[in-house]
C-alpha cells in the first residue's frame, strides 16, 4: 500500500547470490530429471524444455545463471538425450549441429531476457527513487519536523535496499534516536552536500546481505545528492520565513516605538519646559506660575495614562492580564471613572444613564475602569470641544451593555474592524499610540464579552461593549455535559 | 505638638519629595528605606502615622504591616504603584488603613492622612452634631438637614449616613459598612448596600459622577468625601 505519508514502497529487491546459483543449476537439472524416465524422448521436445529452463534461470537469476543454465542444458542434452547415450560423444554430425545451434540460441535468449529484466528493474528503481524524493520534498515542506521526516526517509531506504540500519544526520537537525536496533559493524558513509556546502551525512549498515552492489551504491549516492538539495531547500525556506517574520516584527516595533516615543516625549517635553522655565525664568506673576504648574500636573497625568496603557500591552504580551473578578455594579464603575476623569472634561457635558435592570456583573473593576477611561478619553480627544458625550448602560438577565456616544465625525465603516488592532488610529491624526482600543478590546474579550463600534443615531460614533453576568456559564455547561456523559 | 510620620520607601527621590511636602505642612518626618529599618523605628519612636511602600527590598510591605499589627494599631497608609484590586484588598486585609496608588497628588495624600488620624484620635464619643458645608447631622436627635431643610431618611438610611459621616475621608469597605449598619451577620451583601447608598445619594442630592458627599471606590467600598467644617471638629481636639 503506497500512501503519501509513508516512505514504504513496494520494490523487487535485486536477487541474492543463493537465488542466482539455485536458478542457474536447478532449472536445467529439473528438466533433465523430468525427461530421463521417458522411454523414447523426442529430442525437439526436450530441446524446447531446456530453452524454457534457460528462460526461467535468466528471468529469476539474471545473465550469469542464464549462461550457466545454457551450458548445463547443452551438456545434459548431449549426455542423456543424444545418441550414443551417456557419453559426450556425438555420432551423427547433424546432431552436433543441432546441439551447438541450441547452445548459441539459448545463450542469446538468456542474455536478452536478463538484460530486459535488468532494464525493467532499473526503470522501476528510478521511479521508486523519484517517488521517495518527491515524498521527501513534500514532507520536508509540510512543516513536519525535519528529524521525523529524515527518520521516515531512512526507514524507507532500509526497506528499499534491504539494509539493516540507516541514519541521516545534518548540521541543522538534532540527532535522532535510531529507529531500529543499532546495527553492528562499520557503516558506509555517504556525504550530503548541496552547493558546495557540507550539510551532513548518511550512514548505512548493510547487515547480513554483505556489500552494496556498484549499482545500488550509485543509486544511493544519487538519492543522497537529491536529499541534500531538498534539505537545503527546506533550510532556506525556514530561514526565509524567519527573516520575513523578523521584518514584520521590526515593522510593528518601529510603529510602536514611534508612537511610544511621541506619547512619552510630548508630555515630558511640556513638563521639562514648564519646570526649567520656573527654575531659570525671571519673576513670574502668580497667575503665570500657576499656569506652569497646571501644565506640569496635567502632562504628568497624561504620561501616567500612557504608561498604564503600555503596561497593559506588556501584561497582555506576557499573558499576565488576568482579570480578578468580583460582582460589581457597572454604574458605580462608570461614575467613579467619570469622576476621576473630570479634570479632562473641560466644561464638556458628559451624562450617565443607567437602565433599572442593570444587574451585577462579575468584573475586574480596575480593568473595566481602564476600558471606560480609554473610551471616554477617545471621545474627548476625537470630537469637537464642548460637544456632549453620553454613557449609557442597559442590562438584562444575561449581562450589561455599555455604550459611549459621542457627537464627533464618527468612524467610517471600512475602518471599524481595524481600529481594534494595535497601532491603528482611524484616519484622524491625533496623538495617541493607538493602543487604547486594542487593550480595551482585549480586556472585554478576556471578560467573555465583545466590543464594537457603530453610528450614533444623532451623529457621531457609538462604542459599545457587552459583559456577560454570572461566572463563566460556558465552563458550567461543559461540566454539566461531563456529568451527564458519565451517568 | 507636631505629628510624627514615618515614610517608608526605597526610592530616594520619592522619599525626598514626600518628606519635603510633609515637613512644609508642619509634620515631623522620619525616613526608612527598607522594611527592617521601618519596623525598628516603629518600635522605638513615638509615631502617629506610617506611609508604607509595598515593594521594599528585604521584608516586603505586606509583611511589614503584618509584623507591625502584631503589637501596634498605628495607622498605616499604603503608597504603592501596584493598582490592582487584588493588591488593594490584600493590603487592607493585612491591616492597612488606606491605600493610595502612585502617582498621587499631595492634596489627596494629606486628606487621607487627616482621615486616618481623625479616626485614630476619635474612637471615643462622637460629636453631638456633625456639620459639613450645607449638611448638618444631629446625632442625638437623629436629624439631618440639607441646606437648612430637613431630609427624611429611613432608619437604615440614617444608620448608613451616620456610619459614613462619622468617618470622613476614610475608605469604608463593603464588609465594614454592612456589619456596622446591618449587624455582624452581614458582610457579603454588597448589592443590598449599593441600593441603600443609591437612595441616600438621591435624598442628599448627590451626583455620583461629580460627588459632593459620597465617592465610590469600585469593588472596594465608599468614602465620605467632605471634611467636617472647622467649628464642629475643633471642640474635642
Amino acid at each position: 500500500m503506497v500512501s503519501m505519508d509513508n516512505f514504504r514502497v513496494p520494490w523487487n529487491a535485486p536477487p541474492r547470490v543463493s537465488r542466482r546459483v539455485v536458478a542457474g543449476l536447478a532449472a536445467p537439472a529439473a528438466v533433465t530429471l523430468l525427461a530421463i524416465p521417458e522411454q523414447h524422448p523426442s529430442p525437439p521436445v526436450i530441446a524446447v524444455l531446456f530453452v524454457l529452463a534457460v528462460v526461467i534461470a535468466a528471468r529469476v537469476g539474471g545473465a550469469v545463471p542464464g549462461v550457466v543454465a545454457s551450458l548445463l542444458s547443452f551438456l545434459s542434452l548431449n549426455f542423456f538425450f543424444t545418441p550414443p547415450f551417456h557419453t559426450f560423444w556425438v555420432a551423427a554430425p547433424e546432431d552436433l549441429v543441432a546441439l551447438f545451434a541450441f547452445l548459441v540460441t539459448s545463450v542469446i535468449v538468456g542474455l536478452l531476457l536478463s538484460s530486459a529484466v535488468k532494464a525493467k528493474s532499473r526503470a522501476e528503481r528510478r521511479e521508486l527513487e523519484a517517488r521517495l524524493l518527491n515524498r521527501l520534498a513534500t514532507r520536508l515542506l509540510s512543516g513536519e519536523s525535519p528529524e521525523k521526516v529524515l527518520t521516515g526517509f531512512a526507514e524507507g531506504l532500509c526497506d528499499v535496499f534491504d539494509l539493516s540500519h540507516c541514519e541521516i544526520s545534518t548540521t541543522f537537525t538534532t540527532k535522532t534516536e535510531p529507529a531500529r536496533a543499532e546495527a553492528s559493524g562499520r557503516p558506509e558513509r555517504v556525504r550530503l552536500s548541496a552547493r558546495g556546502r557540507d550539510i551532513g551525512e548518511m550512514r548505512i549498515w548493510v547487515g547480513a546481505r554483505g556489500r552494496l552492489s556498484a549499482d545500488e551504491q550509485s543509486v544511493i549516492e544519487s538519492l543522497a545528492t537529491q536529499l541534500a538539495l531538498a534539505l537545503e531547500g527546506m533550510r532556506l525556506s525556514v530561514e526565509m520565513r524567519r527573516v520575513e517574520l523578523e521584518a514584520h516584527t521590526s515593522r510593528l516595533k518601529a510603529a510602536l516605538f514611534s508612537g511610544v516615543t511621541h506619547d512619552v516625549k510630548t508630555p515630558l517635553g511640556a513638563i521639562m519646559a514648564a519646570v526649567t522655565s520656573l527654575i531659570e525664568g525671571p519673576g513670574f506673576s502668580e497667575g503665570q506660575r500657576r499656569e506652569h504648574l497646571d501644565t506640569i500636573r496635567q502632562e504628568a497625568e497624561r504620561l501616567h495614562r500612557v504608561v498604564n496603557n503600555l503596561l497593559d500591552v506588556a501584561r497582555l504580551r506576557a499573558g499576565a492580564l488576568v482579570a480578578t473578578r468580583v460582582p460589581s455594579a457597572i454604574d458605580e464603575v462608570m461614575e467613579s471613572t467619570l469622576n476621576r476623569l473630570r479634570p479632562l472634561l473641560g466644561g464638556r457635558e458628559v451624562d450617565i444613564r443607567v437602565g433599572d435592570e442593570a444587574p451585577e456583573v462579575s468584573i475586574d473593576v480596575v480593568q473595566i475602569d481602564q476600558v471606560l477611561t480609554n473610551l471616554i478619553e477617545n471621545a474627548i480627544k476625537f470630537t469637537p470641544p464642548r460637544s456632549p458625550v453620553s454613557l449609557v448602560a442597559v442590562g438584562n438577565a444575561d449581562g450589561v451593555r455599555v455604550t459611549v456616544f459621542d457627537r464627533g465625525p464618527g468612524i467610517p465603516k471600512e475602518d471599524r474592524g481595524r481600529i481594534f488592532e494595535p497601532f491603528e488610529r482611524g484616519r484622524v491624526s491625533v496623538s495617541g499610540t493607538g493602543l487604547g482600543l486594542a487593550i480595551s478590546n482585549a480586556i472585554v474579550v478576556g471578560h467573555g464579552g465583545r466590543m464594537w463600534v457603530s453610528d450614533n443615531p444623532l451623529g457621531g460614533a457609538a462604542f459599545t461593549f457587552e459583559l456577560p453576568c454570572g461566572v463563566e456559564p460556558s465552563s458550567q455547561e461543559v461540566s454539566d455535559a461531563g456529568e451527564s456523559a458519565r451517568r | 505638638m507636631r505629628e510624627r510620620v514615618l515614610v517608608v520607601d526605597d526610592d530616594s527621590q520619592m522619599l525626598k519629595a514626600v518628606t519635603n511636602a510633609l515637613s512644609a505642612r508642619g509634620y515631623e518626618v522620619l525616613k526608612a528605606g527598607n522594611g527592617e529599618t521601618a519596623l525598628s523605628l516603629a518600635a522605638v519612636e513615638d509615631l502617629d502615622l506610617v506611609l508604607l511602600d509595598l515593594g521594599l527590598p528585604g521584608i516586603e510591605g505586606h509583611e511589614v504591616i503584618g509584623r507591625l499589627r502584631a503589637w501596634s494599631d498605628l495607622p498605616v497608609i499604603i503608597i504603592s504603584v501596584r493598582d490592582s484590586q487584588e493588591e488593594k484588598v490584600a493590603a487592607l486585609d493585612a491591616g492597612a488603613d488606606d491605600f493610595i496608588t502612585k502617582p498621587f497628588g499631595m492634596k489627596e495624600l494629606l486628606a487621607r492622612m487627616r482621615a486616618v488620624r481623625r479616626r485614630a484620635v476619635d474612637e471615643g464619643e462622637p460629636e453631638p452634631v456633625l456639620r459639613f458645608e450645607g449638611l448638618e447631622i444631629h446625632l442625638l436627635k437623629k436629624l439631618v438637614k440639607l441646606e437648612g431643610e430637613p431630609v427624611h431618611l429611613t432608619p437604615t438610611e440614617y444608620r448608613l449616613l451616620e456610619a459614613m459621616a462619622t468617618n470622613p475621608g476614610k475608605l469604608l469597605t463593603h464588609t465594614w459598612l454592612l456589619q456596622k449598619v446591618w449587624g455582624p451577620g452581614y458582610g457579603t451583601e454588597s448589592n443590598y448596600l449599593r441600593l441603600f447608598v443609591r437612595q441616600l445619594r438621591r435624598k442628599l442630592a448627590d451626583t455620583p459622577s461629580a460627588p459632593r458627599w459620597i465617592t465610590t471606590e469600585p469593588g472596594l467600598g465608599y468614602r465620605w468625601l467632605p471634611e467636617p467644617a472647622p467649628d464642629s471638629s475643633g471642640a474635642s481636639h
Side-chain angles (χ1 to χ4, degrees):
Chain A
M1 187 70 202
V2 179
S3 68
M4 277 309 287
D5 53 354
N6 199 330
F7 284 106
R8 307 273 161 104
V9 221
W11 161 252
N12 299 323
R16 296 198 180 179
V17 177
S18 56
R19 195 165 136 196
R20 298 171 69 177
V21 171
V22 168
L25 299 178
V31 173
T32 307
L33 290 175
L34 257 172
I36 283 173
E38 268 319 298
Q39 288 304 313
H40 303 286
S42 150
V45 173
I46 290 166
V48 170
L49 283 177
F50 274 115
V51 171
L52 183 64
V54 170
V55 166
I56 289 170
R59 174 67 186 85
V60 175
V64 177
V67 171
V68 169
S70 296
L71 285 169
L72 286 175
S73 300
F74 165 76
L75 293 175
S76 169
L77 203 56
N78 183 348
F79 192 79
F80 294 109
F81 306 107
T82 310
F85 299 117
H86 306 295
T87 66
F88 288 109
W89 180 251
V90 179
E94 65 267 27
D95 283 345
L96 194 65
V97 171
L99 272 176
F100 277 99
F102 166 82
L103 179 63
V104 171
T105 310
S106 64
V107 165
I108 288 172
V109 166
L111 286 176
L112 280 177
L113 187 66
S114 71
S115 84
V117 167
K118 210 167 176 179
K120 181 169 170 264
S121 94
R122 197 172 289 153
E124 276 174 359
R125 198 180 281 209
R126 289 268 178 276
E127 194 201 334
L128 179 85
E129 195 186 312
R131 260 150 70 185
L132 258 179
L133 283 169
N134 183 29
R135 222 161 290 169
L136 173 79
T138 318
R139 287 187 53 183
L140 278 178
L141 295 177
S142 72
E144 207 177 328
S145 86
E147 287 79 8
K148 212 174 141 198
V149 176
L150 288 179
T151 311
F153 187 74
E155 279 171 18
L157 278 183
C158 287
D159 284 352
V160 169
F161 294 100
D162 194 26
L163 308 170
S164 81
H165 187 61
C166 176
E167 274 177 17
I168 301 168
S169 56
T170 72
T171 49
F172 56 91
T173 52
T174 52
K175 200 176 177 321
T176 52
E177 286 298 309
R180 294 185 185 186
E182 189 64 63
S184 56
R186 292 172 65 81
E188 288 194 40
R189 291 165 190 271
V190 183
R191 296 234 72 75
L192 300 175
S193 59
R195 273 167 254 181
R197 267 171 45 96
D198 201 10
I199 60 169
E201 71 169 7
M202 203 154 91
R203 283 179 298 159
I204 295 167
W205 284 265
V206 181
R209 54 176 281 227
R211 303 187 58 249
L212 288 172
S213 71
D215 195 29
E216 288 171 322
Q217 192 84 42
S218 81
V219 171
I220 286 178
E221 261 161 31
S222 101
L223 275 174
T225 310
Q226 314 252 17
L227 170 68
L229 285 172
L231 283 172
E232 179 71 0
M234 184 207 67
R235 196 183 62 79
L236 288 177
S237 91
V238 167
E239 179 80 358
M240 208 163 81
R241 241 178 294 164
R242 196 180 57 78
V243 169
E244 258 173 30
L245 192 70
E246 263 175 17
H248 181 67
T249 316
S250 73
R251 270 201 305 279
L252 276 183
K253 276 185 186 156
L256 177 61
F257 274 129
S258 72
V260 169
T261 307
H262 175 271
D263 283 18
V264 171
K265 288 202 170 172
T266 309
L268 266 182
I271 292 170
M272 283 298 282
V275 167
T276 48
S277 131
L278 281 177
I279 292 174
E280 291 153 19
F284 285 110
S285 74
E286 185 53 31
Q288 288 167 322
R289 211 179 64 87
R290 183 79 222 166
E291 212 166 280
H292 276 317
L293 291 172
D294 275 344
T295 303
I296 294 169
R297 185 175 50 80
Q298 278 167 19
E299 293 304 293
E301 279 167 2
R302 185 166 140 198
L303 199 54
H304 181 213
R305 289 192 297 272
V306 170
V307 168
N308 270 350
N309 270 347
L310 287 173
L311 284 176
D312 279 344
V313 170
R315 284 189 198 122
L316 215 56
R317 293 185 57 144
L321 195 67
V322 180
T324 320
R325 300 195 213 171
V326 288
S328 312
I330 194 72
D331 51 330
E332 287 195 344
V333 183
M334 290 159 72
E335 284 154 4
S336 99
T337 306
L338 192 56
N339 186 27
R340 196 168 46 73
L341 293 180
R342 197 147 288 279
L344 280 185
L345 302 182
R348 198 191 283 249
E349 194 186 312
V350 180
D351 67 327
I352 292 185
R353 276 171 285 152
V354 181
D356 293 335
E357 297 283 296
E360 278 199 338
V361 275
S362 188
I363 54 173
D364 184 311
V365 288
V366 175
Q367 288 182 10
I368 296 301
D369 172 89
Q370 179 93 43
V371 172
L372 285 164
T373 303
N374 284 332
L375 291 183
I376 296 170
E377 252 194 307
N378 278 352
I380 290 166
K381 205 153 61 182
F382 295 101
T383 63
R386 312 198 77 82
S387 68
V389 173
S390 293
L391 276 63
V392 177
V394 288
N396 55 30
D398 297 330
V400 290
R401 178 183 285 191
V402 180
T403 307
V404 178
F405 292 100
D406 68 43
R407 303 294 293 277
I411 307 286
K413 281 209 163 58
E414 61 269 25
D415 290 340
R416 288 181 186 175
R418 272 193 316 133
I419 54 170
F420 296 106
E421 305 274 324
F423 320 119
E424 290 291 347
R425 277 184 233 166
R427 291 265 167 81
V428 197
S429 177
V430 181
S431 70
T433 39
L435 293 173
L437 284 176
I439 291 160
S440 303
N441 187 44
I443 290 174
V444 169
V445 169
H447 276 75
R450 60 197 187 100
M451 191 174 206
W452 68 92
V453 59
S454 53
D455 285 322
N456 180 350
L458 301 173
F463 283 87
T464 306
F465 64 90
E466 237 175 29
L467 299 169
C469 67
V471 191
E472 285 111 284
S474 55
S475 69
Q476 185 62 39
E477 273 169 29
V478 169
S479 71
D480 283 354
E483 278 293 303
S484 53
R486 275 194 293 279
R487 261 180 234 131
Chain B
M1 196 188 111
R2 292 168 76 193
E3 291 192 4
R4 289 163 65 88
V5 179
L6 173 62
V7 184
V8 191
D9 200 310
D10 62 331
D11 183 78
S12 59
Q13 287 298 328
M14 189 71 203
L15 213 50
K16 194 158 84 188
V18 174
T19 307
N20 285 343
L22 293 182
S23 304
R25 281 163 181 82
Y27 287 94
E28 188 182 338
V29 182
L30 287 81
K31 292 182 278 188
N34 58 55
E36 288 86 345
T37 316
L39 283 170
S40 50
L41 278 175
V44 295
E45 297 285 342
D46 184 20
L47 297 172
D48 294 303
L49 180 70
V50 179
L51 298 180
L52 178 66
D53 185 21
L54 284 182
L56 294 173
I59 308 178
E60 236 260 340
H62 288 116
E63 175 81 22
V64 175
I65 314 174
R67 294 205 197 170
L68 189 67
R69 280 287 170 264
W71 49 269
S72 160
D73 54 2
L74 189 63
V76 175
I77 298 176
I78 301 295
I79 43 171
S80 173
V81 292
R82 302 179 195 169
D83 62 351
S84 76
Q85 177 159 347
E86 227 177 340
E87 284 288 345
K88 289 182 184 174
V89 170
L92 294 174
D93 284 351
D97 294 82
D98 208 340
F99 197 110
I100 184 166
T101 48
K102 292 179 193 171
F104 52 82
M106 257 308 149
K107 194 177 157 201
E108 198 185 354
L109 177 64
L110 290 166
R112 301 283 176 89
M113 287 171 65
R114 280 195 300 275
V116 294
R117 281 285 298 138
R118 195 179 298 119
R119 191 204 56 142
V121 176
D122 265 5
E123 288 294 358
E125 72 244 42
E127 299 290 316
V129 181
L130 295 176
R131 278 176 229 278
F132 302 96
E133 221 179 304
L135 185 72
E136 272 177 38
I137 305 170
H138 297 257
L139 296 175
L140 295 176
K141 288 186 263 177
K142 300 195 190 298
L143 192 75
V144 180
K145 278 186 183 173
L146 179 66
E147 312 293 356
E149 294 293 314
V151 181
H152 298 290
L153 299 177
T154 66
T156 309
E157 286 165 0
Y158 177 79
R159 282 203 300 280
L160 181 62
L161 174 62
E162 190 186 307
M164 287 183 161
T166 48
N167 290 285
K170 171 131 178 28
L171 170 61
L172 308 171
T173 63
H174 292 143
T175 316
W176 186 87
L177 279 170
L178 280 163
Q179 290 178 352
K180 186 93 177 168
V181 177
W182 279 271
Y186 292 80
T188 53
E189 298 79 356
S190 50
N191 53 338
Y192 209 54
L193 176 63
R194 234 179 322 260
L195 193 73
F196 278 90
V197 170
R198 207 169 288 163
Q199 285 172 17
L200 190 58
R201 276 173 164 163
R202 201 166 50 230
K203 289 190 178 176
L204 295 179
D206 207 7
T207 317
S209 59
R212 187 178 172 193
W213 311 120
I214 303 166
T215 57
T216 310
E217 295 280 342
L220 295 175
Y222 301 92
R223 217 183 270 281
W224 182 257
L225 199 57
E227 298 193 29
D231 61 281
S232 84
S233 67
S236 68
H237 46 95

